[in-house]
Amino acid sequence: MTATTVELTEESTSRTVQTPSGTIHYNEAGQGHPVLMLHGSGPGATGWSNFGPNLKALSRDFRVIAADMPGWGKSSPVSYEERDHVAAVLDLLDALGIEQVALVGNSMGGATTLKFAAVHPERVSHVITMGAGAGGPRLFSPGDGPSEGLKILHKGYLEPSVEVMSALVDIMTFDSGSKSEALAQQRFDNATANQTHLDNFAAGIGKPRRGTASDEEVASIAAPTLIIHGRDDRVVVYEHALKLVTLVKNSRLVLFNRCGHWAQLEHADEFNRLVADFIANN
């Protein structure tokens, strides 16, 4: 399949669909095996902000969908108590007529990917996570309280400002480089576009995480699994990746040095090559 000659933008790829989980907004491009990308929980996160460069590259070979999960972006608001991203993924796949998909999830999206693969194995062809957490006790990373990255993430919901988003971008990356200011502004604009999303997430801060898989569920995943993590991740330390690759039998781990929580953006070219090869050859 040849690469498209049309420049893909957020606007040109923007779609919405009505589902039992509410209105779900997503960006879509390309043809071929379906790939669904799930963003993290940070303020201002959307399918496009998390995966724009990846959608552009991977859509040369695959049908790529980057969704705004309910409670984020242009999708329907949802309270902490109502939030069920596993159900939302199932509803989205059904609405789009997709029987089986390669799931790609960053952070919170990685948690959803793992849970969905465990409870709906027949709908998943491949599992790919970046910066995903693993539950239960850990040997080396802090066991109680949020990481420094999560503290900044929470502040972004409670006190959204360009300055806080700049701190968020800084801690999410090893080196945000020249794009730092633009990323911070994008995050601020996205986050403040819907105050209800901010309020709903803020109301859940300090409460148990929803929709995470148990160790037994993670160990049950049979789909080919690629675990990607940044060696310098200050949000979800890479010890989580070591646990995941231990639990999932058909898995492999790629650990990027000089990389924070956003491997798909900091190392976009290599990430895209890894994902494309993994889906095509496993």
Side-chain angles (χ1 to χ4, degrees):
M1 186 179 298
T2 59
T4 179
T5 58
V6 177
E7 174 65 20
L8 300 178
T9 66
E10 198 285 327
E11 292 76 16
S12 71
T13 59
S14 179
R15 315 277 190 272
T16 59
V17 65
Q18 302 300 318
T19 78
S21 294
T23 300
I24 295 181
H25 173 267
Y26 61 99
N27 297 92
E28 179 179 0
Q31 300 178 31
H33 188 79
V35 178
L36 176 58
M37 295 181 152
L38 305 177
H39 61 74
S41 64
T46 67
W48 184 262
S49 70
N50 262 53
F51 297 112
N54 316 114
L55 181 146
K56 292 178 181 180
L58 293 171
S59 62
R60 297 167 186 160
D61 299 301
F62 307 103
R63 178 188 179 187
V64 185
I65 299 157
D68 295 354
M69 298 308 291
W72 278 264
K74 300 175 187 176
S75 292
S76 293
V78 62
S79 69
Y80 165 83
E81 289 75 18
E82 297 168 329
R83 190 189 310 158
D84 188 342
H85 286 174
V86 171
V89 169
L90 184 62
D91 289 342
L92 178 60
L93 294 181
D94 288 345
L96 298 182
I98 296 173
E99 289 299 319
Q100 197 172 56
V101 69
L103 280 180
V104 180
N106 178 220
S107 196
M108 176 187 72
T112 302
T113 292
L114 294 168
K115 181 75 171 183
F116 189 90
V119 300
H120 298 292
E122 73 286 354
R123 304 299 293 270
V124 180
S125 63
H126 303 78
V127 171
I128 301 166
T129 66
M130 308 88 68
R138 294 177 296 277
L139 289 176
F140 305 113
S141 53
D144 296 320
S147 65
E148 59 174 332
L150 283 175
K151 289 178 182 178
I152 293 295
L153 185 152
H154 292 164
K155 189 173 182 179
Y157 281 98
L158 299 170
E159 305 172 29
S161 68
V162 175
E163 291 74 22
V164 171
M165 298 305 172
S166 293
L168 177 74
V169 170
D170 178 68
I171 209 165
M172 291 282 176
T173 57
F174 176 80
D175 180 7
S176 55
S178 61
K179 297 180 179 179
S180 178
E181 185 175 336
L183 283 171
Q185 188 65 52
Q186 180 192 52
R187 284 278 170 158
F188 175 75
D189 292 343
N190 289 348
T192 55
N194 193 323
Q195 185 62 42
T196 303
H197 287 341
L198 294 176
D199 294 340
N200 283 339
F201 188 92
I205 292 175
K207 297 179 181 179
R209 296 291 298 270
R210 298 180 62 83
T212 58
S214 66
D215 284 359
E216 291 75 17
E217 287 175 320
V218 172
S220 75
I221 294 172
T225 299
L226 174 62
I227 300 159
I228 297 172
H229 219 102
R231 170 66 178 81
D232 307 284
D233 192 333
R234 292 187 284 167
V235 184
V236 179
V237 298
Y238 75 92
E239 183 183 350
H240 290 260
L242 300 178
K243 181 173 181 179
L244 290 175
V245 79
T246 301
L247 287 172
V248 182
K249 295 180 177 63
N250 188 12
S251 68
R252 63 280 290 144
L253 168 63
V254 176
L255 191 66
F256 283 125
N257 212 1
R258 300 175 65 84
C259 179
H261 195 54
W262 290 341
Q264 77 278 12
L265 297 180
E266 285 200 86
H267 296 273
D269 290 343
E270 187 171 0
F271 173 86
N272 295 334
R273 289 194 300 270
L274 280 169
V275 170
D277 179 75
F278 182 74
I279 295 173
N281 295 299
N282 289 276

